[in-house]
């Protein structure tokens, strides 16, 4: 059909013309001397987007779903217990991934159209004196319903329960669109993507990990390879491609 195709879906969003024009260049050689500066600019530019001074931004060639998997397999032991609310298609899918990867899932089922149940999270955490729950998962904005949840309140529930679980936040359709504060809310892994609030083409999984999450990844027993945080953080520190580093 002649004319311009506009997207009228929750995401991917329409890419602005200035971004499309900026993309109309030849691909950059990832072995060139200019590539490290390009990579560093991207990573440094993400720090204020996540509102962090201590987190580690990571870019994966993937969708946000890849970052879901990265958060789970990097930070948790095989079979670890996770707590998640299901209140839309994407929180439902994330819970399903947890089960498929062999984690024990405690799900808080909420009618679609409502947000993450803070009282439900608090009750579950207070009912876990042995701290079997190792990670708390929440979608900041459930893309399927357009309902935003209060991440700061979920952090408050963890604090009120004096629970040490890691906090994973799906901010795929929230980051750069809805207020997100990595450091202030003490989020351990933020999961996002290029195709929504960042208004870029789909294809980049955009994540940020706390120092606590990075330390957890050094000891977690779940297997990972492509989505290894350690490889990415080490490579980003020297701005060298992980593939090149492995091939030296």
């Amino acid at each position: 059909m002649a004319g311009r195709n506009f997207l009228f879906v929750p995401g991917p969003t329409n890419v602005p013309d200035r971004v499309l024009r900026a993309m109309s260049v030849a691909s950059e050689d990832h072995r060139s001397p200019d590539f490290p500066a390009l990579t560093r600019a991207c990573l440094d530019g993400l720090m204020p987007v996540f509102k962090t001074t201590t987190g580690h931004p990571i870019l994966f060639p993937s969708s946000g779903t890849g970052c879901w998997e990265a958060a789970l397999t990097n930070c948790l032991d095989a079979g670890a217990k996770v707590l998640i609310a299901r209140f839309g298609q994407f929180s439902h899918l994330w819970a399903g991934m947890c089960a498929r990867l062999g984690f024990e899932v405690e799900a808080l089922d909420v009618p679609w159209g409502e947000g993450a149940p803070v009282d439900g999270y608090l009750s579950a955490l207070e009912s876990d004196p042995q701290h079997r729950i190792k990670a708390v998962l929440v979608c900041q904005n459930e893309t399927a319903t357009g309902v935003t949840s209060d991440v700061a309140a979920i952090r408050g529930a963890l604090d009120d329960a004096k629970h040490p679980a890691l906090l994973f936040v799906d901010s795929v359709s929230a980051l750069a669109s809805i207020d997100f504060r990595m450091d202030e809310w003490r989020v351990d892994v933020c999961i996002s993507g290029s195709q929504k609030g960042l208004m870029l083409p789909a294809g980049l999984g955009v994540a940020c990990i706390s120092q606590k999450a990075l330390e957890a990844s050094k000891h977690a027993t779940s297997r990972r390879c492509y989505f290894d945080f350690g490889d990415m953080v080490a490579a980003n520190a020297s701005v060298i491609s992980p593939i090149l580093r492995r091939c030296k």
Side-chain angles (χ1 to χ4, degrees):
M1 185 174 180
R4 185 167 186 174
N5 179 46
F6 285 94
L7 295 169
F8 296 100
V9 294
T13 58
N14 294 291
V15 179
D17 286 341
R18 62 186 181 86
V19 175
L20 293 172
R21 289 194 297 269
M23 292 170 57
S24 296
V25 296
S27 297
E28 181 66 65
D29 179 2
H30 63 281
R31 294 175 175 83
S32 77
D34 295 330
F35 194 78
L38 172 63
T39 305
R40 177 50 54 196
C42 293
L43 297 173
D44 290 347
L46 284 169
M47 298 284 279
V49 178
F50 286 107
K51 291 188 173 68
T52 184
T53 59
T54 59
H56 300 272
I58 292 176
L59 297 173
F60 285 113
S62 75
S63 65
T65 305
C67 293
W68 281 352
E69 184 166 327
L72 297 166
T73 58
N74 275 273
C75 299
L76 302 175
D77 290 339
K81 185 175 183 178
V82 301
L83 175 65
I84 184 171
R86 290 188 295 209
F87 51 96
Q89 179 66 11
F90 289 90
S91 50
H92 171 71
L93 290 173
W94 198 8
M97 173 187 282
C98 293
R100 291 177 65 179
L101 290 172
F103 297 105
E104 180 183 348
V105 181
E106 181 173 345
L108 306 172
D109 286 304
V110 179
W112 289 25
E114 296 183 13
V118 177
D119 290 344
Y121 276 98
L122 178 58
S123 178
L125 292 167
E126 289 179 335
S127 300
D128 182 37
Q130 295 180 331
H131 299 161
R132 292 188 60 245
I133 296 170
K134 301 304 180 184
V136 169
L137 284 55
V138 61
C139 287
Q140 183 182 12
N141 189 70
E142 171 52 69
T143 308
T145 63
V147 174
T148 301
S149 293
D150 190 342
V151 176
I154 302 299
R155 165 47 66 191
L158 279 158
D159 292 345
D160 290 345
K162 296 181 174 58
H163 203 290
L166 296 165
L167 177 57
F168 298 167
V169 177
D170 173 334
S171 192
V172 171
S173 60
L175 189 71
S177 299
I178 298 170
D179 190 26
F180 177 82
R181 306 184 182 197
M182 180 96 183
D183 290 355
E184 183 177 331
W185 299 340
R186 304 200 315 281
V187 174
D188 292 299
V189 183
C190 178
I191 292 135
S192 194
S194 56
Q195 73 277 19
K196 294 197 170 77
L198 296 174
M199 300 191 80
L200 299 169
L204 276 182
V206 182
C208 193
I209 63 173
S210 70
Q211 190 60 38
K212 180 180 176 181
L214 182 59
E215 288 301 315
S217 74
K218 295 177 182 178
H219 308 288
T221 61
S222 295
R223 294 185 178 184
R224 65 269 188 187
C225 180
Y226 181 84
F227 289 115
D228 194 303
F229 283 166
D231 285 353
M232 296 301 290
V233 170
N236 291 344
S238 56
V239 201
I240 297 175
S241 163
I243 295 174
L244 289 179
R245 186 168 60 80
R246 290 170 179 159
C247 293
K248 284 185 176 180

